[in-house]
């Protein structure tokens, strides 16, 4: 069996490190470095345990010019801006990954999710399966037979059946489910009073969001508690749901740099040593990276 290509949602692990480690971890010149230290531990553990031959880390850039923000200006508007002490650490995290001989990419128009989705499609066209490394349930919509969604906090890697067991819908229904329920994390509106479980029940009956919206009166006859009320809610919020679906779906045709290779390269020892020195990384990480 061909080894999977690892596609890593970098930003979530940087944020996790920022919140997990104390702010008194600093660089040699006294700037906060807790996020990059925690991220370095994560990268070290991933590369040592998995020994990936093909791997890429996707990073988010500013979202003001993203295609989702163009569709819906309030997209992610509920999120406070990242603190300056954290923003300063993102370039260090990316430089560290690149010094390790691992491909990184980002885009001013597309989010890391879209870059990962585009890479996943490209890898499958070449006969390869993918492991999406993230903690974000939204990315589970990308998983097809042979692929896995994996949060390293948990030992189990979810295939399509595992995702269905966890979310109540198949991977290809996840974006529909999020559109019905909304996503508070990303400030995506949904139908008031419809959560992920109710959305899953509707989709199991209708099969897809287009089918559900094509025959809204049928919702009132579904053997669901409060079916008539659900029918009315869907009817009155269908425009909102259609907009939300444009936001929850991952765009798998993002622009990629020409000649992009996911093969891991030899590490740049000099660059790695300079970064480790500046960031004051602990000895185990210096020796293992």
């Amino acid at each position: 069996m061909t080894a999977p290509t690892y596609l890593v949602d970098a930003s979530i692990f940087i944020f996790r490190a920022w919140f997990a480690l104390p702010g008194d971890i600093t660089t040699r010149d006294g700037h906060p470095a807790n996020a990059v230290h925690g991220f370095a531990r994560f990268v070290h553990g991933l590369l040592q345990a998995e020994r990936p031959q093909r791997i890429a880390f996707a990073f988010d850039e500013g979202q003001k010019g993203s295609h989702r923000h163009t569709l819906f200006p309030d997209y992610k508007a509920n999120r406070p801006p990242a603190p300056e002490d954290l923003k300063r650490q993102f370039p260090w995290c990316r430089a560290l990954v690149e010094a390790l001989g691992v491909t990184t990419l980002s885009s001013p128009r597309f989010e890391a999710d879209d870059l990962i989705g585009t890479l996943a499609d490209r890898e499958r066209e070449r006969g390869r399966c993918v492991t999406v490394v993230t903690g974000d349930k939204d990315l589970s919509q990308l998983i097809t037979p042979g692929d896995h969604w994996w949060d390293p906090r948990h030992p189990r890697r979810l295939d399509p059946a595992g995702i269905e067991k966890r979310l109540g819908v198949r991977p290809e229904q996840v974006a529909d489910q999020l559109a019905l329920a909304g996503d508070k994390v990303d400030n995506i509106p949904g139908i008031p009073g419809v959560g992920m479980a109710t959305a899953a029940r509707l989709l199991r009956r209708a099969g897809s969001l287009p089918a559900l919206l094509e025959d809204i009166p049928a919702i009132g006859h579904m053997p669901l508690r409060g079916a008539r009320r659900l029918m009315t809610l869907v009817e009155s919020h269908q425009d909102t749901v259609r907009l939300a679906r444009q936001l929850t779906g991952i765009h798998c045709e993002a622009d990629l740099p020409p000649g992009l290779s996911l093969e891991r390269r030899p590490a740049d020892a000099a660059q790695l040593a300079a970064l480790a020195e500046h960031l004051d990384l602990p000895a185990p990480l210096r020796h293992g990276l």
Side-chain angles (χ1 to χ4, degrees):
M1 184 176 179
T2 305
T5 298
Y6 289 77
L7 304 176
V8 186
D9 180 14
S11 297
I12 194 168
F13 298 104
I14 298 173
F15 275 100
R16 280 184 179 179
W18 166 258
F19 287 111
L21 296 181
D24 59 0
I25 298 173
T26 64
T27 63
R28 289 281 182 176
D29 53 2
H31 291 293
N34 55 331
V36 68
H37 274 235
F39 184 69
R41 294 180 192 174
F42 159 69
V43 175
H44 172 264
L46 177 67
L47 297 181
Q48 290 290 315
E50 303 299 312
R51 302 288 180 182
Q53 299 171 355
R54 296 178 63 80
I55 182 170
F57 280 66
F59 289 79
D60 282 316
E61 292 188 14
Q63 298 304 316
K64 289 299 181 182
S66 76
H67 75 289
R68 289 185 182 83
H69 193 268
T70 301
L71 285 168
F72 183 56
D74 286 336
Y75 177 65
K76 293 188 176 180
N78 56 333
R79 295 190 184 187
E84 288 300 320
D85 285 343
L86 172 59
K87 288 169 66 176
R88 186 185 292 114
Q89 298 183 59
F90 272 85
W92 294 335
C93 292
R94 187 165 183 174
L96 181 67
V97 173
E98 291 175 349
L100 288 163
V102 173
T103 294
T104 71
L105 67 164
S106 65
S107 167
R109 185 177 175 214
F110 296 104
E111 296 179 55
D113 292 9
D114 304 312
L115 298 173
I116 289 171
T118 303
L119 288 173
D121 271 9
R122 191 179 76 166
E123 290 298 283
R124 293 192 201 100
E125 288 171 1
R126 298 177 179 181
R128 301 185 180 102
C129 57
V130 301
T131 294
V132 178
V133 186
T134 184
D136 186 350
K137 65 181 181 301
D138 299 10
L139 283 162
S140 60
Q141 66 186 268
L142 298 176
I143 303 307
T144 64
D147 302 329
H148 289 91
W149 181 100
W150 178 40
D151 183 347
R153 279 184 175 178
H154 309 287
R156 188 180 175 202
R157 304 178 193 217
L158 300 181
D159 60 7
I163 289 165
E164 185 171 6
K165 182 176 180 180
R166 182 186 183 202
L167 296 179
V169 295
R170 301 186 305 274
E172 64 269 23
Q173 297 172 309
V174 169
D176 293 349
Q177 181 186 33
L178 290 167
L180 288 165
D183 188 342
K184 291 182 180 179
V185 173
D186 290 340
N187 202 40
I188 296 175
I191 300 175
V194 173
M196 293 287 278
T198 299
R201 294 186 188 101
L202 289 170
L203 291 169
R204 284 198 295 270
R205 294 285 175 181
S208 69
L209 184 60
L212 184 76
L213 297 179
E214 188 175 311
D215 189 7
I216 294 175
I219 298 172
H221 301 288
M222 290 181 180
L224 300 173
R225 183 177 180 181
R228 299 290 296 180
R229 176 177 172 273
L230 281 173
M231 179 189 71
T232 302
L233 284 170
V234 174
E235 174 70 35
S236 59
H237 291 88
Q238 57 181 302
D239 290 341
T240 298
V241 171
R242 288 190 173 93
L243 170 62
R245 182 58 180 81
Q246 295 181 68
L247 303 173
T248 60
I250 291 177
H251 185 88
C252 294
E253 296 180 358
D255 299 325
L256 297 177
L260 183 72
S261 172
L262 305 191
E263 293 287 342
R264 189 176 176 192
R265 307 174 301 279
D268 184 330
Q271 178 66 12
L272 198 53
L275 277 168
E277 179 70 18
H278 173 67
L279 298 172
D280 199 20
L281 293 176
L285 293 181
R286 291 173 183 243
H287 297 154
L289 284 170

